[in-house]
Amino acid sequence: GLINSIYFLGVIAGALLCGPLSDKVGRRKSLVTGGLLGFIAIPMLTATKNFVWTICCRFLNGIATGGMDAAALTWTAEIASQHHRGRMVGILMCLAATGASTVYFMMYGLSAHSTGGLVWRLPVAFQLVFITVMIPAVFVLPESPRWMVKVGMIADARIVLRSLHASGDSSDAAVENDLQAIIDAHAEAARDLSSTSYWRMLLVPDEYATVRRTWSALFVQFSTQALIGASFVGGYGISTFVTGGWSTHLASLLVGVSIVTQAVSGLCGVMWSEKMGRRYAMVGGALMGCALLALIGMCGYFVNKHSIGNPGLAKQYGGVTVALLLLWCAQFGATWLWCPFTYPSEIFPLRYRARGSSFGIVGFGMGSFLANMVSTYLFEALGYKTMFLLSGCSLFVGVVCFFAMPETAGKSLEEIENTFLTAGVKAQHS
């Protein structure tokens, strides 16, 4: 509905605001800024008494979340080594899924004993616990060495790289090599004096293939929510499980189980993220999802067919539907839960990286907004046939990722900068 959807418009706005801010004040301070805005928005949303204030506060809550998401992804990608970057960003997203499941079960438990505002107000206020822990923790952790190079803090960047990748060893040659690669890559990109505006990143071609990178970031994040099916299962999962013939009460419990399944399988997936790679994780996850969603639709057809004439058989097909949905959640967690968030934070040069990560979150917000607005109508109009529609969308996403998304796993961020370039441009840079 509108209250859920307006949150994702706030996420889009927060991500767009975070990009320039992150470049100006640093990754840590932009993350703290989002947290401080959350400290204002969340108590207001918890205490709101009317619809208009609820909409406004929900939008502010989304701005805070979008800003923190964009800053955290950029920061994590820039401090991680090339051999652990997918794992670090992946764990971040698994923790996000864990938080979502915690809040969901909190609401599920409260709804069994209360019908008042406590059911949603307490979970909203619970966000403050995590922000309270996050803000002081940020100042204990190092700033991004790549941002430091960008603003000329070379000596500080060297110290951070030593602490992150060499246990403080000042004689480690690999640190000097990494630092020099960052300096050289930034110096090369800095020769381009054109604007780094969002508009230019979207529409104006350049030798760094920025337009292609930007649309790639938007596509993979939008696809996660609106085409692969995450928001349909997560946002309107009760309707999805009711499609399998289960009661509304049990369907509500199964939605929580499905979120936990995503988080657990996500942890397994990120452990293999560097071996699996980004491209094959997205392609494989989309194709497996395509097959599973088609099977879920077929089971939904038989549930619908036998629901009156043979309820026992319909219940059996409903059980198969639940098993297939949980299997879908498992493969989604192992692939698409983490990969589309990792990919946009990797593929941009340092000059555009903060804004590029913001575009990824914009794609996430757009996909979530669309799914929240249309899911109810889709399930009402199509029922189990919605699964066939999502199956076709998943197939489309898998094909696009196979042909259009270069692999980034195992490469430094500076090496990835050349991945999207044509052979001629690569030769000029070398």
Side-chain angles (χ1 to χ4, degrees):
L2 181 61
I3 293 178
N4 283 333
S5 298
I6 201 71
Y7 169 80
F8 293 108
L9 293 181
V11 168
I12 293 171
L16 292 173
L17 291 170
C18 177
L21 179 66
S22 182
D23 280 336
K24 185 173 183 178
V25 304
R27 316 315 191 203
R28 294 191 307 172
K29 290 181 180 177
S30 59
L31 187 56
V32 170
T33 301
L36 293 176
L37 179 59
F39 262 123
I40 298 172
I42 292 170
M44 292 172 60
L45 179 59
T46 304
T48 186
K49 295 290 186 180
N50 62 67
F51 180 76
V52 175
W53 268 108
T54 300
I55 292 293
C56 293
C57 294
R58 185 70 168 155
F59 182 74
L60 286 176
N61 192 183
I63 292 177
T65 303
M68 287 189 287
D69 284 348
L73 289 170
T74 305
W75 185 32
T76 304
E78 290 186 336
I79 65 174
S81 74
Q82 65 194 66
H83 303 297
H84 300 97
R85 189 173 56 245
R87 186 175 301 173
M88 289 185 65
V89 177
I91 289 174
L92 187 68
M93 300 319 302
C94 290
L95 291 174
T98 302
S101 64
T102 301
V103 170
Y104 185 87
F105 279 115
M106 184 182 295
M107 295 179 66
Y108 179 82
L110 288 170
S111 64
H113 302 283
S114 174
T115 57
L118 181 67
V119 173
W120 66 267
R121 293 182 193 274
L122 181 59
V124 168
F126 191 61
Q127 297 176 84
L128 291 173
V129 175
F130 300 101
I131 296 178
T132 303
V133 174
M134 180 205 72
I135 290 179
V138 165
F139 291 104
V140 178
L141 300 171
E143 180 56 270
S144 163
R146 288 173 170 84
W147 177 80
M148 289 178 170
V149 168
K150 184 175 182 178
V151 297
M153 300 169 59
I154 306 299
D156 292 320
R158 179 180 288 108
I159 293 172
V160 171
L161 284 171
R162 285 172 180 169
S163 66
L164 288 173
H165 306 311
S167 301
D169 184 2
S170 59
S171 62
D172 193 303
V175 168
E176 291 301 321
N177 293 336
D178 289 345
L179 179 61
Q180 192 59 50
I182 297 170
I183 293 172
D184 292 344
H186 177 60
E188 175 67 29
R191 295 175 187 173
D192 182 2
L193 301 179
S194 60
S195 168
T196 57
S197 68
Y198 288 122
W199 179 259
R200 185 180 182 85
M201 291 175 68
L202 275 172
L203 299 175
V204 181
D206 61 19
E207 62 177 311
Y208 298 98
T210 304
V211 172
R212 181 185 172 190
R213 299 174 199 258
T214 301
W215 284 102
S216 295
L218 282 168
F219 177 79
V220 296
Q221 286 275 35
F222 178 85
S223 298
T224 303
Q225 301 303 312
L227 301 179
I228 293 295
S231 280
F232 290 90
V233 174
Y236 287 88
I238 294 177
S239 298
T240 306
F241 282 106
V242 168
T243 298
W246 297 80
S247 68
T248 302
H249 176 76
L250 185 55
S252 300
L253 179 60
L254 289 171
V255 170
V257 173
S258 71
I259 300 174
V260 173
T261 301
Q262 291 180 23
V264 173
S265 62
L267 285 173
C268 298
V270 300
M271 294 301 108
W272 292 89
S273 59
E274 304 306 330
K275 292 184 179 180
M276 184 167 30
R278 320 296 188 243
R279 181 166 171 256
Y280 286 110
M282 290 189 287
V283 172
L287 296 183
M288 285 189 290
C290 168
L292 288 169
L293 288 168
L295 291 173
I296 292 168
M298 291 173 63
C299 289
Y301 164 78
F302 287 111
V303 169
N304 186 67
K305 178 180 179 180
H306 298 292
S307 58
I308 298 177
N310 193 343
L313 183 58
K315 191 68 174 180
Q316 292 178 19
Y317 278 111
V320 176
T321 301
V322 170
L324 289 171
L325 275 166
L326 293 178
L327 186 58
W328 180 92
C329 290
Q331 67 80 27
F332 174 84
T335 54
W336 278 83
L337 176 65
W338 59 270
C339 196
F341 291 89
T342 304
Y343 200 70
S345 64
E346 296 178 318
I347 61 177
F348 289 90
L350 177 58
R351 187 165 181 259
Y352 295 100
R353 187 169 297 128
R355 286 173 169 82
S357 292
S358 295
F359 264 125
I361 299 302
V362 168
F364 167 83
M366 291 171 61
S368 299
F369 176 82
L370 177 64
N372 272 272
M373 292 299 290
V374 306
S375 290
T376 302
Y377 304 105
L378 273 178
F379 279 109
E380 288 179 355
L382 300 179
Y384 67 86
K385 296 177 184 177
T386 305
M387 300 303 164
F388 293 118
L389 176 62
L390 292 175
S391 177
C393 290
S394 292
L395 177 60
F396 168 73
V397 171
V399 172
V400 171
C401 289
F402 181 81
F403 287 105
M405 306 297 168
E407 184 55 72
T408 58
K411 300 177 181 179
S412 70
L413 294 177
E414 289 64 46
E415 291 172 330
I416 295 171
E417 290 186 18
N418 292 326
T419 301
F420 284 80
L421 304 184
T422 63
V425 175
K426 286 182 181 179
Q428 293 175 17
H429 285 194
S430 61

